[in-house]
Amino acid sequence: MNATEFAAAQWTRATGAGVDPHEYRRVTDGLASVADWGPAFVRTGNAHLERAERAGSALSAGGHLLMAARWFHLATLAPYPEAPRAAAEADRSLGRALALLEPGARRVTGEGFTGWLRGPADAPGTVVVVPGLDSAKEEFLDLVAALLARGLAVFAMDGPGQGVLAATTVLRPEYEQVVGRVVDALGVTRVGLVGLSLGGYFAARAAALEPRVAAVATVSGPFRLDWPELPPPVRDIMARRTGGADAARAFARHVDLTGLAPRIAAPLLVVDGGQDVIPGVTDGGPLARLAPRGTYLKVPHGDHLLGNARPDWLPRLADHLARHLCEPGPATPGDPDDGA
């Protein structure tokens, strides 16, 4: 894949993450090869840091820092020797932005996770945002904003093998253990989960095995993976994030929700894009059918992560989590849900 093809493939993911589409085109139009991706995106992130230093207000500086965090994270999407440093810069920029914009935001770190808890201390519910194979907490700032706007508290996290932790840890299938430690650290009795891409598998698995999950949503999450059919770029990323090809094959064998889906008692919204067709990946339709309170939302024109179709799913997902987390106690089977 050449630089033009790679940039086109990442277009809706990058713009869905919140970068300016015109700036994206200016940056990617100048790429001679995919190897130039990381350095170009880091330079763009640094340009936003410089704008933050020159900004005339804390609000403007915070906005530039949030944008820098997005660009530094996106720098890691192509093979790049300095990816760990770019991920660290994304993490640092997000922290600096929140110090200016939301002084009440709190860094929470524990075994196998780190992230930011945002929102009111007396929020009626807390949502944990779970990233995927090569995503990170800096990629889903607009999703976090939609949840915060509904009065919820939000913990956007990096788990093992993700974001700023990718340099020192590897992906693990037993994500429910990580979620359990997160819930303990947050000091809450029940949480909502939203998982994106491979994070959808993590969130669904955790909802089946961690009883404190009171509501869950997945976006472009796999129901099952078939390693031999996965495209080589996906296998390469998985190998880098798990510690090698053998570890990646073993990890992929774990990604199968057939036996776990019927155990998800919480109300579940499964979001898929009709244009999201990745060989070797079974999408979320079976998950929604097998889960006792599953609802399926398929957006025909949506691609992977549905960055090209946010109005079709993002408000509904945020409302789903807000409604069920505001219930006074555990949900009762048979309660009305979204209705596909």
Side-chain angles (χ1 to χ4, degrees):
M1 183 180 293
N2 62 35
T4 300
E5 293 168 336
F6 188 81
Q10 302 298 329
W11 161 255
T12 59
R13 180 170 179 182
T15 55
V19 304
D20 179 79
H22 304 287
E23 186 171 31
Y24 181 85
R25 285 201 171 108
R26 287 196 299 271
V27 172
T28 57
D29 282 351
L31 300 180
S33 72
V34 175
D36 296 329
W37 174 279
F41 277 54
V42 166
R43 284 195 300 271
T44 308
N46 284 326
H48 280 282
L49 294 185
E50 293 171 4
R51 293 187 183 106
E53 294 297 327
R54 299 193 304 266
S57 69
L59 182 62
S60 294
H64 286 304
L65 288 165
L66 288 177
M67 194 58 67
R70 293 177 171 101
W71 283 98
F72 286 131
H73 161 63
L74 293 171
T76 70
L77 298 188
Y80 180 40
E82 296 297 317
R85 182 176 297 178
E89 289 292 343
D91 179 76
R92 188 176 302 114
S93 297
L94 176 58
R96 290 178 60 194
L98 293 177
L100 291 173
L101 300 174
E102 297 177 31
R106 178 164 61 97
R107 184 80 184 225
V108 182
T109 299
E111 181 185 349
F113 71 88
T114 190
W116 287 94
L117 178 63
R118 301 167 59 185
D122 60 349
T126 301
V127 179
V128 178
V129 178
V130 179
L133 178 62
D134 61 352
S135 54
K137 61 188 180 300
E138 293 82 18
E139 186 167 339
F140 306 117
L141 297 173
D142 287 357
L143 167 61
V144 171
L147 296 167
L148 291 172
R150 286 157 175 81
L152 297 168
V154 184
F155 182 66
M157 64 174 286
D158 293 331
Q162 298 171 323
V164 73
L165 299 182
T168 56
T169 61
V170 295
L171 290 172
R172 51 181 298 179
E174 305 88 357
Y175 212 93
E176 72 281 357
Q177 298 173 8
V178 182
V179 170
R181 292 194 292 271
V182 167
V183 178
D184 291 340
L186 297 180
V188 294
T189 58
R190 57 204 293 266
V191 298
L193 290 182
V194 53
L196 300 108
S197 191
L198 183 61
Y201 163 73
F202 291 143
R205 180 186 173 103
L209 299 173
E210 168 52 68
R212 292 173 292 180
V213 175
V216 61
T218 69
V219 180
S220 298
F223 178 78
R224 185 174 60 248
L225 294 181
D226 186 344
W227 173 262
E229 295 185 21
L230 290 174
V234 175
R235 283 185 280 173
D236 291 344
I237 296 169
M238 194 171 292
R240 290 199 300 270
R241 295 299 177 109
T242 58
D246 290 342
R249 280 191 288 269
F251 178 89
R253 284 195 295 271
H254 280 93
V255 182
D256 187 342
L257 292 168
T258 304
L260 290 173
R263 299 175 61 180
I264 300 175
L268 164 70
L269 176 63
V270 176
V271 180
D272 275 335
Q275 300 302 313
D276 182 8
V277 181
I278 302 176
V281 178
T282 302
D283 66 17
L287 171 62
R289 290 194 297 272
L290 290 172
R293 302 187 66 199
T295 299
Y296 193 46
L297 173 60
K298 188 166 187 175
V299 180
H301 54 280
D303 55 13
H304 190 65
L305 291 173
L306 295 97
N308 65 334
R310 285 190 298 176
D312 296 293
W313 64 271
L314 181 53
R316 182 165 166 183
L317 181 147
D319 289 344
H320 166 84
L321 291 166
R323 179 169 61 256
H324 290 294
L325 287 176
C326 290
E327 291 177 349
T332 302
D335 286 349
D337 202 354
D338 301 83

